[in-house]
């Protein structure tokens, strides 16, 4: 089991920055994938950025060059630095962790944090 707690969301003007944090309840060293998704009103949840295979970062095309994913294994925390924010980045941002064990794959989600970008 992994509990994920997100923080750092809020209201910001276009062009501004926010940093989201996702703290896991246990070591993330052995977690197979961990990162961020988002869901805007009336839209499907979509990948924003995720670590896979350890330290490989994958980004959605819409955030490349603006968002940066990082991790601090000592704090069991993954961060999403969001710069040059746009109104279309407005969404609830969810942290996700994927653990693959001999019993199968387990997906864990945080409760979400609201990001609102005003024009």
């Amino acid at each position: 089991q992994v509990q994920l707690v997100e923080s750092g969301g809020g209201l910001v003007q276009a062009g501004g920055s926010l940093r989201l944090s996702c703290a896991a309840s246990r070591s993330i060293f052995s977690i197979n994938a961990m990162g961020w998704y988002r869901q805007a009103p009336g839209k499907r949840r979509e990948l924003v950025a995720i670590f896979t295979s350890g330290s490989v970062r994958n980004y959605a095309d819409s955030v490349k060059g603006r968002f940066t994913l990082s991790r601090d294994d000592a704090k069991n925390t993954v961060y999403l630095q969001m710069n040059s924010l746009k109104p279309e980045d407005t969404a609830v941002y969810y942290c996700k962790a994927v653990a693959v064990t001999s019993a199968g794959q387990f997906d864990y989600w945080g409760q979400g944090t609201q990001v609102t970008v005003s024009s």
Side-chain angles (χ1 to χ4, degrees), residues 32-33 37 96-109:
N32 298 84
Y37 286 69
K96 179 182 179 180
V98 179
V100 178
T101 73
S102 58
Q105 176 175 316
F106 298 89
D107 293 351
Y108 302 96
W109 292 92

